[in-house]
Amino acid sequence: MELNHLWKLQQFEPGEKRPLELAAPGLDDRFWISAKVPGDVHSALIERRIIDNPYYGHNDVKSRWIEGKEWWYRTAFDYALNDRQERHELVFEGLDTFATVYVNGLEIGTADNMLMAHTFDVTRVLRNGWNTIAVKFDPLHLHNRDKEQFQWSSYTKERPWLRKAAMNFGWDWGPRMVTVGIWGKVRVERRRCAKLDGVYARTVELSEGTALLAVEAETVAYDRKCPREWEVRLQDASGAEVCASGRQSMNGLTGSCGLRVEAPRLWWTHDLGEPYLYTLKVILYAGGEQVDAYETRFGIRTIELELKDADGANSFAFVLNGVKLFAKGANWIPVDHFIGAASDERYRDLIDLAAQSNMNMLRVWAGGIYEKDVFYRECDRAGLLVWQDFCFANALFPDYNRDFMDNVREEAVYNVRRLRNHASLALWCGNNEIDWLYDMKTSGGDLTCPFYGESIYHELLPEVLAEHDHSRPYWPSSPFGGNDANDPDAGDRHNWQVWHGSVYPRKQGEAPILDYSIEGVTFKNYKRDFTLFSSEFGMHASANRYTLEKNIPEGEFYWGSVEMAYRNKDTNHKKGILLMEGFTGIPRDMEEYMNFSMLTQAEGLKYGIEHYRRNKRRTSGALIWQLNDSWPGTSWSLLDYELLPKASYFYAQKFFAPLLVSVDHDPGQPLRIWVVNDRLEPYNGAIRLTVQDFSGNTVYTGEWTACVAANSALELGQVSEAEVLGGRAAGEVAVKVESVDGLIPANRYYLRDHKDLQLPAVMLQARVNVEDSSVTVTAAGGLARMVKLDLPLGNIRFSANYFDLEQGESCVVEIRDAAGNGVSLAGLRVSAVNAPPAAGVEEQR
């Protein structure tokens, strides 16, 4: 029974009222605020118009008083007690954070961890008929004000003792918004005789035509004398056919069953095959009667982490069903600062967008939460692997404190058992950047204390996994491996030379160096990185016009405004200026800032990822920082807060495509033509390279035969820069490389940085077809660079955007909402870097 009706909410000064007074069943709460559960206090106050939207302007500062109050939730519900032998449990899937729970005026327990569910036995306090629940949330400072503050905790020193999403306290992409409330579902569960306490299913072995599965069940028996049996059924995706089954007596509290599946359909990432999902059912019987059941979608697959390749060299590669794959994806942060109020639809939209950009992996970053169930279900469905961090980010933690460590262990056990049956879950990782930054900060003199927290990642978490999930690999930290934890020759790596200016190579114990210069932060440094696996890298870009205009006060939407600066939470805003200065030039107004930052991010990520993929024999993954935003700011994201893709997202559809044709070139050097084939079958075709001036005149054409083995990268040949220019200046031509058969997306290059191109001033013509919600854009007067379509709507889909058009070339762009329906095109704006907005958008029917 889910308690998802409206609850009541009210604030008090800490200790203002006696708790038992506010928890009393007969308390008159008619005049309290109505609140949704799941949700949070901020969202309830926004919905009731008690506070202004914290995402608008500086309103987040106006709402900080919320974190200092004591908050109470109350609800009432009817419940039938049918049998005295029944047991009843009250389950909160998320309490944020220090909560005391009362049922019918009686205190039944407390919670002190946002990152896990909390279950209370309420058998002795529930009544037949009308019941009440009250939950008191303490302000955080009551629980950490007397605790030791460590030398290092990024962004605030108050969080290491608190098991709460670290990003609540602010990060370099979002503001401080310390949430409070019931952020997960609430339900009452009815039990008789026994219950399933855990199910663990995994693929033990794949052989030709057969899969061996192991299914384990743990139970709680309320009546030990009652005989128990359990049944396992694996059904096909439709549920019509039972593919394997077993039924056994359960003499103790646990059982284990092996299943043999003939001709299994395997779960693959969507780029390698079908992410096929069976239905797994486990049924518990007591005295011949069904008393509990568990059901989940289940993928048959094996996953390994290769740390040594066939030649014995260091490697860091995921092996899915025996196939070594190149991980293409991004880092995932919470979908909203108000996590509890975020809808399942928002999750589905983000995951669909990730898959549509040809990503096959998402890394759930440590400074957020262990994501909601919907996230993993949707990744299972979409065929996306998940790298899962444990929730420890950029700080020291009190691993010497028994109570803290018991809390951490309980949190880890709960989440491992909750998530271990998901086919998408590929890796557990101990923390984000802590091992690496501890060495950096110690070597630089910032830290003089022991490595507090080390035993969590190197002892406690491996112990938990050894007991509860030994079917997938564990990695202690990210980055980790080698002499320096960020060593390109071992383990995974975070490349923050680009953007943050971290100087590498570096050895353990050496003081870190930052180079804040054009050369120090430029994305050209990616080509010097021969990492085994790049699990974080990226650069800022503006959010889309609609997202910014919606959240910036009138009169403040201009380049250099205080409000625009407030959207950027990174330290030292100089870095973004340096990146643009080196590639596009420094923007002079808002339009140029949006264009130049997006173009720099898109071209920079393309430059780095194509390099990583060409180096496929050594490099096995590229996870961009970051996929999404949790508020409407300026950040590293590919998708802004309103779920509008930036230019880099559309670039990703090409640079992450299973088949990639690319040109490796630096000024004055030959053009080297490559094909990368991530598919499981060879590619045979012809590759054509065409060079045109900006007026559309062909300067050079060349063609190469491509015979590229499955899962490999191949250089086809090269041609000198002088030959392709044919006497033209390098800043006056564009290069297009494509497959003659059209199977590989065409790719475009410029032989000099954007600021050094002699782009002509061109005009755009836009013709709107209202009936099918499409726009035809045509370039006149020369090549149009980065054609951009803006529409004052959020969460819409463009079939193409941020693209180049040759002289006279047209592109038809379909515009839909997330469900695929047409949208109003009122307010459509079509422009390009070298073209003003199309005047008088023409309407066709």
Side-chain angles (χ1 to χ4, degrees):
M1 175 183 178
E2 185 175 348
L3 304 178
N4 57 1
H5 49 271
L6 284 177
W7 289 51
K8 293 292 187 176
L9 173 69
Q10 189 56 275
Q11 59 152 316
F12 299 90
E13 293 299 324
E16 176 186 345
K17 297 281 188 178
R18 291 181 60 250
L20 291 180
E21 176 186 344
L22 297 176
L27 180 78
D28 186 356
D29 58 17
R30 286 177 296 164
F31 304 110
W32 287 25
I33 304 162
S34 295
K36 293 178 180 177
V37 170
D40 57 79
V41 168
H42 284 80
S43 298
L45 299 185
I46 294 168
E47 188 170 4
R48 301 277 77 82
R49 296 180 175 84
I50 295 169
I51 63 171
D52 297 326
N53 186 345
Y55 294 166
Y56 183 82
H58 280 60
N59 284 349
D60 60 295
V61 179
K62 291 164 56 178
S63 66
R64 287 197 183 166
W65 60 271
I66 293 170
E67 65 182 80
K69 302 297 183 182
E70 177 180 299
W71 291 93
W72 281 77
Y73 281 76
R74 287 179 56 92
T75 194
F77 63 99
D78 287 321
Y79 194 76
L81 298 177
N82 301 324
D83 187 335
R84 294 186 61 184
Q85 301 302 314
E86 289 180 335
R87 298 294 182 96
H88 309 276
E89 292 178 332
L90 176 61
V91 180
F92 292 89
E93 292 187 3
L95 292 169
D96 181 11
T97 294
F98 292 96
T100 306
V101 181
Y102 303 82
V103 174
N104 294 326
L106 300 175
E107 180 182 332
I108 62 168
T110 62
D112 59 358
N113 193 321
M114 173 189 179
L115 304 171
M116 58 178 290
H118 300 274
T119 300
F120 303 92
D121 188 336
V122 291
T123 304
R124 293 177 59 80
V125 297
L126 280 184
R127 301 168 179 168
N128 189 43
W130 185 77
N131 292 266
T132 64
I133 298 173
V135 184
K136 174 174 75 78
F137 288 97
D138 293 340
L140 299 178
H141 72 266
L142 297 182
H143 296 271
N144 68 353
R145 62 187 174 187
D146 298 324
K147 300 293 188 182
E148 177 187 0
Q149 290 194 346
F150 297 103
Q151 292 181 3
W152 172 44
S153 173
S154 293
Y155 308 104
T156 176
K157 290 192 174 182
E158 68 199 281
R159 65 181 176 87
W161 290 91
L162 308 175
R163 296 312 297 149
K164 178 173 173 58
M167 50 81 72
N168 283 174
F169 301 95
W171 215 262
D172 54 8
W173 35 258
R176 178 188 180 99
M177 291 188 198
V178 179
T179 54
V180 59
I182 303 175
W183 76 271
K185 295 177 181 179
V186 184
R187 63 183 182 275
V188 180
E189 296 183 345
R190 187 188 302 267
R191 309 289 189 185
R192 285 192 71 254
C193 298
K195 73 170 183 177
L196 288 167
D197 198 39
V199 172
Y200 181 26
R202 62 197 184 277
T203 305
V204 176
E205 181 182 338
L206 291 178
S207 56
E208 192 166 342
T210 304
L212 297 181
L213 311 182
V215 183
E216 298 172 6
E218 299 174 51
T219 65
V220 173
Y222 304 122
D223 182 355
R224 294 291 185 99
K225 298 178 182 178
C226 187
R228 297 181 306 283
E229 293 182 302
W230 67 297
E231 180 182 5
V232 183
R233 292 202 297 261
L234 188 74
Q235 298 173 320
D236 66 6
S238 69
E241 179 184 350
V242 176
C243 304
S245 64
R247 183 162 176 161
Q248 300 176 342
S249 296
M250 184 169 284
N251 298 320
L253 296 178
T254 62
S256 180
C257 179
L259 297 179
R260 178 182 295 272
V261 183
E262 301 296 338
R265 298 180 67 174
L266 303 186
W267 186 94
W268 292 96
T269 52
H270 67 93
D271 54 331
L272 295 180
E274 180 187 7
Y276 188 85
L277 292 170
Y278 292 85
T279 297
L280 177 71
K281 293 184 178 180
V282 176
I283 304 170
L284 179 65
Y285 302 91
E289 175 188 354
Q290 179 178 327
V291 293
D292 204 357
Y294 169 88
E295 181 174 323
T296 189
R297 303 285 275 168
F298 181 78
I300 296 177
R301 64 101 182 97
T302 59
I303 190 75
E304 302 166 86
L305 181 63
E306 178 190 91
L307 298 178
K308 293 286 184 180
D309 66 16
D311 299 323
N314 284 345
S315 175
F316 192 96
F318 290 92
V319 180
L320 176 65
N321 300 327
V323 174
K324 182 177 178 178
L325 59 81
F326 192 101
K328 298 169 288 194
N331 286 260
W332 173 282
I333 66 170
V335 302
D336 203 294
H337 259 59
F338 306 134
I339 298 169
S343 68
D344 286 358
E345 288 73 24
R346 186 170 177 86
Y347 279 88
R348 294 188 189 101
D349 290 345
L350 277 165
I351 289 166
D352 283 342
L353 283 164
Q356 289 160 16
S357 68
N358 291 309
M359 295 183 185
N360 61 18
M361 177 174 277
L362 295 173
R363 174 187 174 222
V364 180
W365 170 72
I369 60 171
Y370 307 91
E371 271 298 352
K372 299 179 184 179
D373 290 341
V374 63
F375 170 83
Y376 305 95
R377 290 198 303 268
E378 292 302 309
C379 287
D380 288 347
R381 173 192 60 82
L384 292 171
L385 290 170
V386 174
W387 169 316
Q388 177 67 55
D389 283 359
F390 285 93
C391 290
F392 301 92
N394 303 62
L396 299 174
F397 292 92
D399 59 351
Y400 53 79
N401 183 277
R402 183 192 65 181
D403 294 342
F404 180 84
M405 292 294 277
D406 287 348
N407 196 359
V408 166
R409 184 179 293 274
E410 190 176 358
E411 167 195 317
V413 168
Y414 168 77
N415 284 291
V416 167
R417 290 165 65 89
R418 176 172 70 96
L419 303 178
R420 62 189 175 182
N421 292 333
H422 286 283
S424 56
L425 185 58
L427 178 83
W428 295 105
C429 180
N431 71 67
N432 178 72
E433 296 187 341
I434 296 177
D435 289 62
W436 171 46
L437 291 181
Y438 177 78
D439 174 54
M440 296 261 280
K441 290 179 177 293
T442 302
S443 303
D446 297 328
L447 293 182
T448 57
C449 64
F451 186 179
Y452 295 125
E454 183 177 22
S455 66
I456 298 173
Y457 330 119
H458 298 277
E459 296 176 22
L460 186 152
L461 294 176
E463 290 171 5
V464 168
L465 290 167
E467 181 176 357
H468 297 285
D469 184 15
H470 44 78
S471 66
R472 52 180 55 83
Y474 172 72
W475 195 241
S477 183
S478 181
F480 188 78
N483 179 281
D484 168 71
N486 206 21
D487 192 336
D489 294 322
D492 70 312
R493 184 161 193 257
H494 293 188
N495 185 325
W496 289 120
Q497 182 169 7
V498 177
W499 184 262
H500 286 310
S502 299
V503 175
Y504 267 81
R506 173 191 177 270
K507 298 296 184 183
Q508 185 179 23
E510 293 179 355
I513 301 172
L514 295 179
D515 181 1
Y516 284 166
S517 67
I518 292 175
E519 294 75 20
V521 304
T522 176
F523 62 71
K524 305 294 179 64
N525 288 318
Y526 283 137
K527 203 173 280 190
R528 300 167 54 194
D529 184 8
F530 290 90
T531 178
L532 301 179
F533 193 107
S534 190
S535 48
E536 269 194 30
F537 62 100
M539 63 206 78
H540 268 212
S542 170
N544 285 275
R545 173 182 292 274
Y546 170 74
T547 303
L548 293 174
E549 287 187 332
K550 180 179 177 181
N551 293 285
I552 291 179
E554 186 176 355
E556 293 289 335
F557 185 61
Y558 61 88
W559 175 236
S561 77
V562 171
E563 289 290 348
M564 271 304 300
Y566 196 67
R567 297 290 114 188
N568 182 355
K569 298 303 181 186
D570 192 22
T571 55
N572 198 334
H573 292 190
K574 177 182 178 182
K575 292 175 285 191
I577 302 297
L578 288 170
L579 264 168
M580 290 186 287
E581 183 179 356
F583 183 65
T584 60
I586 298 175
R588 296 164 296 182
D589 55 34
M590 192 64 194
E591 191 67 25
E592 281 197 344
Y593 164 66
M594 290 188 292
N595 287 339
F596 285 6
S597 64
M598 284 206 194
L599 185 59
T600 301
Q601 183 194 49
E603 290 286 349
L605 291 175
K606 173 184 175 180
Y607 186 91
I609 289 166
E610 289 185 350
H611 161 71
Y612 290 143
R613 293 190 65 189
R614 288 191 292 263
N615 197 38
K616 185 179 172 76
R617 287 189 178 182
R618 174 181 169 88
T619 302
S620 295
L623 305 182
I624 299 166
W625 184 269
Q626 63 208 62
L627 176 69
N628 57 307
D629 273 333
S630 61
W631 88 302
T634 296
S635 79
W636 296 263
S637 70
L638 276 66
L639 300 165
D640 73 23
Y641 176 75
E642 294 291 340
L643 304 191
L644 295 175
K646 301 179 184 180
S648 55
Y649 175 86
F650 293 96
Y651 274 53
Q653 292 179 330
K654 292 186 178 181
F655 63 59
F656 276 154
L659 284 169
L660 169 69
V661 58
S662 69
V663 174
D664 182 8
H665 170 261
D666 290 303
Q669 300 299 310
L671 285 69
R672 301 166 59 197
I673 294 84
W674 283 78
V675 173
V676 179
N677 179 16
D678 286 347
R679 304 184 310 173
L680 301 184
E681 59 273 352
Y683 173 76
N684 297 295
I687 302 300
R688 178 185 300 129
L689 185 140
T690 306
V691 180
Q692 292 184 329
D693 65 22
F694 295 148
S695 296
N697 302 306
T698 299
V699 177
Y700 173 86
T701 58
E703 197 166 297
W704 291 263
T705 299
C707 299
V708 188
N711 209 6
S712 69
L714 180 67
E715 182 179 358
L716 303 183
Q718 61 181 3
V719 58
S720 72
E721 184 180 276
E723 183 177 351
V724 302
L725 287 174
R728 303 295 207 285
E732 297 177 350
V733 300
V735 177
K736 183 166 72 172
V737 60
E738 58 192 331
S739 63
V740 174
D741 57 19
L743 292 178
I744 306 178
N747 215 339
R748 190 181 299 275
Y749 296 86
Y750 297 88
L751 301 183
R752 295 295 183 267
D753 290 341
H754 178 80
K755 61 183 173 57
D756 299 320
L757 300 180
Q758 285 79 57
L759 289 169
V762 303
M763 300 298 293
L764 296 174
Q765 181 186 45
R767 299 187 304 277
V768 171
N769 188 317
V770 176
E771 291 183 358
D772 66 2
S773 190
S774 69
V775 184
T776 302
V777 185
T778 305
L783 181 141
R785 182 70 167 115
M786 203 174 81
V787 176
K788 176 176 65 173
L789 285 75
D790 280 314
L791 200 60
L793 293 171
N795 198 15
I796 54 174
R797 307 288 184 266
F798 297 88
S799 61
N801 208 349
Y802 301 100
F803 53 87
D804 295 352
L805 285 177
E806 298 170 6
Q807 156 64 24
E809 184 182 8
S810 296
C811 178
V812 178
V813 179
E814 296 179 346
I815 307 176
R816 301 285 187 267
D817 65 16
N821 304 308
V823 299
S824 169
L825 300 184
L828 177 68
R829 190 173 186 270
V830 183
S831 62
V833 169
N834 59 327
V841 175
E842 183 181 335
E843 188 172 305
Q844 292 184 329
R845 293 185 182 273

